[in-house]
Amino acid sequence: MEKIALPPPPSKRLIKTSLHQAVLDERLQQVRLLVDKHRAKVDTKDVHGRTPLMLSCMIDNSVLGYRMADVLIKAGADANLKDGMGRTAMSYACMNAREHIVKLILKEDALNLTEPDSDGNTSLHHAAACGNPLIVRALAKAFHRFGLHPDSRNKLGYTAFLVACKSGHFASAYYLITIAKASPSLRDGEFHLSAEEWIQKAARQKRGSDRGQIASAPAVIQRPLASLAFERDNTMYQKPWVPICRLYRTPNTYRAVDSTVQLPEIANHDVSSATRSELVINSMEVC
């Protein structure tokens, strides 16, 4: 009877391979050499269970990380593999707000977007918490296209929509409820708050932090009217500071996105390029 080869225990796994090290060192040409010429195994896991594709989502240089991820995926890297914490490459791409890698992985055919990690968080949870609404919009479109359920809960009872509302990521919350059709009536399992209650609480916290920034802003040194000096002399040795405009918009109104949820009112505001701000939705600023 033929014996089945079992995976080595975690204590005897390789700490990392040369491909892992090349990714960590951000050496794109070495990664290409190892993959194309030496046929390095792209799905080998290190001592933490992480593959080179996962590491490419975590390095500091996001441009090189994207190029390495592209090389690894074209070489057949499996985006569904999990590490010791149950996280996939998509999980790390969402956690680190790597928008281009997320869109690259979404092109894969056999991709499981609803698989939770050891904390119960899916990729949609991590995207809602990262603060890049364009990632949430891309995932929300994928959930809608494949008919996936966007309201799975983590171990604390939070859905991705509740995570976005709790974090004050109003643009992400908008995309989740309008594109992915997230439920606005659910409550979390930790504090038993609804989405509307989390939105109001996050809005109050943002207003409080903005007032703190204004209170701590450096005083502007006034120049005598008769003195002859360049205009720049007043500011060149001071920290640049611009007051946040939404503090001066009163009263603070809200826009009903759903019958039970109100996001902060959206005012007309032209933005020429795509923005990743959680305070802008469809080229309109959230007040």
Side-chain angles (χ1 to χ4, degrees), residues 222-244:
Q222 296 294 334
R223 175 172 54 89
L225 296 177
S227 63
L228 297 177
F230 292 102
E231 190 66 24
R232 189 182 175 193
D233 291 345
N234 284 344
T235 58
M236 64 185 300
Y237 298 113
Q238 301 178 28
K239 286 187 176 180
W241 175 79
V242 179
I244 299 176

Side-chain angles (χ1 to χ4, degrees), residues 60-160:
D60 294 333
N61 193 320
S62 60
V63 176
L64 289 178
Y66 169 75
R67 294 180 179 178
M68 292 177 186
D70 186 44
V71 171
L72 295 168
I73 289 177
K74 288 180 179 178
D78 189 353
N80 289 320
L81 293 178
K82 293 185 175 184
D83 65 357
M85 300 183 67
R87 294 171 180 167
T88 63
M90 176 65 83
S91 301
Y92 285 110
C94 293
M95 290 173 66
N96 295 287
R98 300 302 165 86
E99 176 188 344
H100 298 294
I101 299 181
V102 168
K103 294 179 179 179
L104 181 66
I105 298 177
L106 283 176
K107 296 178 182 178
E108 295 296 299
D109 295 330
L111 185 63
N112 192 347
L113 295 175
T114 59
E115 189 69 21
D117 59 17
S118 57
D119 296 322
N121 293 313
T122 64
S123 299
L124 200 58
H125 285 88
H126 294 304
C130 77
N132 187 334
L134 298 184
I135 293 179
V136 175
R137 184 174 64 179
L139 284 176
K141 289 181 178 179
F143 270 67
H144 179 70
R145 183 169 63 251
F146 297 116
L148 301 177
H149 183 56
D151 292 322
S152 61
R153 296 176 181 268
N154 60 16
K155 289 188 176 181
L156 292 178
Y158 290 93
T159 64

Side-chain angles (χ1 to χ4, degrees), residues 4-20:
I4 300 176
L6 298 176
S11 59
K12 293 185 179 180
R13 287 180 186 169
L14 291 174
I15 296 179
K16 56 188 171 183
T17 65
S18 56
L19 185 57
H20 286 88

